[in-house]
Amino acid sequence: MMCTRKTKTLVSTCVILSGMTNIICLLYVGWVTNYIASMYVRGQEPAPVKKLDESQGDTLKIIERLDHLENVIKQHIQDAPAKPEETEAEPFTDSSLFAHWGQELSPEGRRVALKQFQYYGYNAYLSDRLPLDRPLPDLRPSGCRNLSFPDSLPEMSIVFIFVNEALSVLLRSIHSAMERTPPHLLKEIILVDDNSSNEELKEKLTEYVDKVNGQKPGFIKIVRHSKQEGLIRSRVSGWRAATAPVVALFDAHVEFNVGWAEPVLTRIKENRKRIISPSFDNIKYDNFEIEEYPLAAQGFDWELWCRYLNPPKAWWKLENSTAPIRSPALIGCFIVDRQYFQEIGLLDEGMEVYGGENVELGIRVWQCGGSVEVLPCSRIAHIERAHKPYTEDLTAHVRRNALRVAEVWMDEFKSHVYMAWNIPQEDSGIDIGDITARKALRKQLQCKTFRWYLVSVYPEMRMYTDIIAYGMLQNSLKTDLCLDQGPETENVPILYICHGMTPQNVYYTSSQLLHVGLLSSTVDDDDNRCLVDVNSRPRLIECSYAKAKRMKLHWKFSQGGPIQNLKSKRCLELQENNEAEFGFQLVLQKCSGQHWGLTNVLRGLAS
Ligand SMILES: *[C@@H]1O[C@H](CO)[C@@H](O)[C@H](O)[C@H]1NC(C)=O
Ligand SMILES: *[C@@H]1O[C@H](CO)[C@@H](O)[C@H](O)[C@H]1NC(C)=O
Ligand SMILES: *[C@@H]1O[C@H](CO)[C@@H](O)[C@H](O)[C@H]1NC(C)=O
Ligand SMILES: [Mn+2]
């Protein structure tokens, strides 16, 4: 699971998405670097900087700068997943692993620790040296200790899914589950090995399981996949093997806190159509310290990456920090009535590898008559890895899975997902597989509309029904340059080589606004920025501020036509300028008849 609290800017996106990029973004806060950093974050190739005309002096300088920065950054992402056998690297003292840990290690110790870190995405070297039964700080709100629960609660199967998890991390997960779940409530533990290649997960794991089962026959079951199925189908395999009336589906790098199970089972016993998530704390990937996270609901942005959300107003009004937090979706680990999970259609097994299934489940449960909640009194600590072992190109899988969700569940709002990923809604060229069975499921369960869901369950999500065109904004005079939000800390839009990443997202609305840059997904985010004519200069200003101040933020635009400010009548145009980085600069001037185009038209944009 990989979840962000708030996506403020491109920089903070890098910081949150993964530990390794954290360094990059903080060290090199410049707009050029942001692009490269963000590309690594998104698992894509660096911008095609070589496409430039190398005869231009300024351009060459930029290429040099980019090449240099790219090298610097590449060094810093040596933490990226590496195959275990190919790491003969020298001890890498500026790896993020050593930022808060390991200063006193010998060079040899460092080398071993780093190698393991590169492989697992967390400090397996340290994990191997920590006790399996280490205590956790009790981070529950104080009222939780006073709650009482029914004597008779349903039994539970706990499923752990993993691929190439460090054995000690997996064993600590199992241990803490057995230690901190009342024995009469834990029927069995199911381990789903999604075709790990890691040797220690074979014999050594089997030995451990045999030892436990010697005391408690059949208590731990292992399901091994003979080919890699990804996280989504792994969860479903675990569910298939489970026999208790309630099933808990977890990653295998967690530690359970005291009293986590009783509140969950109580809520499910009261109503089997509730899907429950515990509250998450973080196990830091470098020093394995527990970091307390604030209480949060679980949602998602329009790319369908999961997001922690502020609990809803109604929850705060209760002034009861032990009360369940109603949640629009799940970040991935959850507990569910075994039978009910089947009735509502398990997970979408047509999804590949990683991502989106948690959002799909949340939307489906709500739209089809169930509910989702997070319990403050049930706490689990979970390792947020510095990087994922599943695949190097996670993003492509998340995007594909997200489009499945959009097509099956989101009705007219599916456009929002396409816009957020900045891909055309028709003929996107992305094969999302067969969705007829999921559509049939929706019909069979007689589920409500996505509009109902947005209004009733996820009012924090912003709607963009007024956007009529989106993509890169290009001028016919120089089509390899695109409008770009420019340096993060400034409000001056620029021209830059087209790469189609977030800083070049442009959205045109039916109310004649031009949004530039990241489109905010929820009300917790910062506002969007709008193109504004400020004293005849193009500027990016927060839309709500510009509106309140009655600034010149409305633009007439038709596909292939000029972009003209309604008030000032000036046009957004390119002007040749040898001083400018790419030979042109962006100006507002008397319209000379230049033409602009936006990549994707949704509807109603004249051309
Ligand atoms: C918990 O219960 C004890 C005794 O029953 C009481 O004194 C205390 O105030 C309660 N604490 C909370 C947080 O409700
Ligand atoms: C993993 O998959 C390969 C084939 O892709 C298979 O030969 C191997 O036995 C599998 N490993 C396990 C542990 O199931
Ligand atoms: C607070 O919430 C808990 C859990 O739902 C409930 O048992 C308790 O009665 C609530 N306390 C108050 C004062 O409403
Ligand atoms: Mn995880």
Side-chain angles (χ1 to χ4, degrees):
M1 301 168 337
M2 180 153 65
C3 231
T4 60
R5 270 176 200 283
K6 198 172 176 194
T7 334
K8 242 188 164 174
T9 60
L10 189 58
V11 176
S12 59
T13 309
C14 317
V15 171
I16 294 165
L17 276 184
S18 105
M20 79 189 186
T21 48
N22 187 339
I23 308 174
I24 299 166
C25 301
L26 292 182
L27 279 180
Y28 304 103
V29 188
W31 56 277
V32 174
T33 330
N34 282 346
Y35 296 154
I36 300 176
S38 66
M39 277 165 238
Y40 280 112
V41 168
R42 285 155 185 271
Q44 293 175 12
E45 288 298 308
V49 285
K50 298 291 190 283
K51 251 175 56 184
L52 290 169
D53 177 2
E54 303 202 357
S55 64
Q56 289 170 286
D58 282 338
T59 309
L60 272 176
K61 253 193 297 186
I62 290 204
I63 291 174
E64 274 171 30
R65 212 162 87 209
L66 282 170
D67 279 345
H68 170 68
L69 285 169
E70 203 182 325
N71 284 333
V72 175
I73 286 162
K74 273 186 181 154
Q75 277 187 11
H76 278 275
I77 58 162
Q78 301 254 330
D79 301 345
K83 299 209 171 60
E85 58 274 9
E86 71 175 19
T87 36
E88 273 313 308
E90 281 300 297
F92 217 87
T93 45
D94 56 350
S95 162
S96 68
L97 177 61
F98 301 116
H100 306 106
W101 174 85
Q103 281 83 3
E104 73 296 343
L105 278 190
S106 68
E108 174 59 12
R110 277 173 181 255
R111 201 184 61 78
V112 176
L114 181 66
K115 190 168 144 183
Q116 298 226 45
F117 174 60
Q118 289 171 331
Y119 182 64
Y120 291 113
Y122 50 66
N123 192 346
Y125 178 93
L126 173 61
S127 171
D128 290 350
R129 285 155 181 80
L130 293 175
L132 292 186
D133 59 351
R134 67 174 185 155
L136 291 189
D138 181 355
L139 297 172
R140 292 175 298 170
S142 56
C144 297
R145 289 172 206 108
N146 273 13
L147 295 181
S148 57
F149 301 99
D151 291 331
S152 147
L153 286 170
E155 272 190 312
M156 169 165 58
S157 305
I158 299 182
V159 174
F160 291 113
I161 60 161
F162 56 92
V163 56
N164 292 338
E165 200 81 65
L167 180 64
S168 62
V169 167
L170 171 61
L171 294 187
R172 194 170 296 107
S173 304
I174 298 173
H175 237 266
S176 80
M178 289 168 65
E179 197 84 355
R180 308 221 174 87
T181 311
H184 69 284
L185 298 180
L186 181 54
K187 182 173 185 196
E188 63 193 354
I189 289 176
I190 291 156
L191 306 179
V192 180
D193 177 356
D194 192 20
N195 200 257
S196 298
S197 52
N198 194 341
E199 282 304 316
E200 65 173 7
L201 291 175
K202 293 172 186 165
E203 239 167 69
K204 277 194 200 161
L205 179 60
T206 310
E207 266 170 39
Y208 174 86
V209 167
D210 289 347
K211 205 176 78 194
V212 173
N213 287 349
Q215 307 279 316
K216 301 178 155 201
F219 184 69
I220 304 183
K221 300 182 174 73
I222 308 187
V223 178
R224 293 199 198 264
H225 284 172
S226 57
K227 71 178 189 27
Q228 205 153 71
E229 299 285 355
L231 159 151
I232 296 142
R233 290 194 292 272
S234 295
R235 291 218 158 99
V236 177
S237 302
W239 172 86
R240 289 211 166 91
T243 58
V246 173
V247 183
L249 296 152
F250 281 99
D251 296 353
H253 39 265
V254 296
E255 289 172 64
F256 295 80
N257 218 319
V258 289
W260 79 277
E262 295 89 335
V264 173
L265 294 171
T266 302
R267 292 295 287 175
I268 292 176
K269 187 184 174 178
E270 282 168 15
N271 180 349
R272 63 193 285 273
K273 293 187 175 180
R274 285 179 184 146
I275 299 199
I276 312 283
S277 170
S279 294
F280 284 89
D281 296 298
N282 185 29
I283 304 172
K284 292 185 189 167
Y285 66 78
D286 51 358
N287 59 15
F288 272 53
E289 278 172 13
I290 308 293
E291 174 186 13
E292 179 172 0
Y293 272 174
L295 290 175
Q298 300 166 8
F300 51 90
D301 63 21
W302 279 118
E303 287 185 342
L304 310 194
W305 291 99
C306 65
R307 293 278 291 276
Y308 288 113
L309 306 169
N310 225 331
K313 282 198 192 78
W315 183 84
W316 291 106
K317 262 203 199 139
L318 292 175
E319 295 189 5
N320 180 354
S321 57
T322 70
I325 302 168
R326 174 191 162 102
S327 185
L330 293 149
I331 68 174
C333 297
F334 57 92
I335 305 104
V336 62
D337 180 279
R338 183 165 58 89
Q339 208 55 48
Y340 176 62
F341 194 37
Q342 179 164 40
E343 286 164 26
I344 53 144
L346 304 171
L347 295 173
D348 178 359
E349 292 180 83
M351 289 185 176
E352 297 294 342
V353 185
Y354 177 94
E357 89 293 348
N358 51 330
V359 173
E360 194 261 0
L361 177 62
I363 294 172
R364 170 157 46 92
V365 167
W366 280 111
Q367 284 184 213
C368 310
S371 64
V372 179
E373 63 192 36
V374 178
L375 297 185
C377 293
S378 175
R379 294 195 86 108
I380 312 275
H382 161 265
I383 305 177
E384 267 169 35
R385 296 176 199 257
H387 52 258
K388 298 252 159 209
Y390 269 101
T391 168
E392 301 201 358
D393 196 5
L394 209 59
T395 307
H397 295 292
V398 175
R399 186 175 64 183
R400 174 188 180 277
N401 294 345
L403 296 184
R404 285 180 70 87
V405 183
E407 290 293 338
V408 175
W409 295 101
M410 293 191 170
D411 311 321
E412 72 271 27
F413 291 93
K414 72 180 182 182
S415 61
H416 291 51
V417 178
Y418 286 88
M419 284 192 291
W421 284 102
N422 209 356
I423 48 180
Q425 195 171 306
E426 307 295 334
D427 305 319
S428 69
I430 297 166
D431 178 8
I432 66 166
D434 187 359
I435 53 170
T436 49
R438 298 312 281 180
K439 284 188 151 168
L441 174 73
R442 177 172 174 178
K443 207 164 171 198
Q444 177 219 320
L445 295 174
Q446 301 183 318
C447 308
K448 296 194 175 87
T449 63
F450 193 70
R451 181 178 287 279
W452 172 85
Y453 170 82
L454 282 182
V455 171
S456 321
V457 181
Y458 200 1
E460 296 91 341
M461 199 66 159
R462 293 189 197 215
M463 297 189 199
Y464 288 102
T465 46
D466 62 342
I467 290 178
I468 56 180
Y470 62 98
M472 292 179 281
L473 184 61
Q474 286 154 297
N475 188 299
S476 59
L477 206 58
K478 189 93 175 80
T479 51
D480 58 340
L481 294 184
C482 280
L483 185 83
D484 187 300
Q485 71 179 13
E488 187 70 39
T489 49
E490 294 172 26
N491 64 351
V492 184
I494 59 168
L495 292 163
Y496 193 77
I497 316 146
C498 295
H499 53 56
M501 306 283 304
T502 317
Q504 295 184 349
N505 288 2
V506 176
Y507 304 87
Y508 186 61
T509 71
S510 55
S511 51
Q512 298 180 299
L513 302 180
L514 275 165
H515 297 302
V516 180
L518 184 73
L519 204 57
S520 86
S521 288
T522 73
V523 294
D524 288 351
D525 299 339
D526 284 352
D527 196 9
N528 296 312
R529 291 201 295 176
C530 277
L531 183 70
V532 180
D533 176 341
V534 179
N535 302 326
S536 309
R537 295 205 173 83
R539 291 290 180 262
L540 298 175
I541 311 278
E542 284 207 347
C543 303
S544 53
Y545 180 84
K547 251 180 238 167
K549 296 280 174 190
R550 299 172 176 275
M551 297 171 98
K552 304 186 186 84
L553 76 165
H554 295 99
W555 304 86
K556 192 173 152 208
F557 171 57
S558 57
Q559 185 72 314
I563 294 181
Q564 184 179 28
N565 193 281
L566 289 194
K567 266 194 201 157
S568 73
K569 305 293 180 203
R570 281 180 285 262
C571 275
L572 182 72
E573 298 199 338
L574 301 195
Q575 191 179 65
E576 279 203 64
N577 179 345
N578 290 333
E579 307 285 295
E581 271 177 327
F582 302 106
F584 286 91
Q585 72 182 61
L586 209 52
V587 293
L588 290 175
Q589 62 185 12
K590 186 157 179 284
C591 304
S592 72
Q594 289 184 13
H595 308 298
W596 292 91
L598 257 176
T599 327
N600 303 298
V601 175
L602 272 175
R603 62 173 184 283
L605 180 67
S607 55

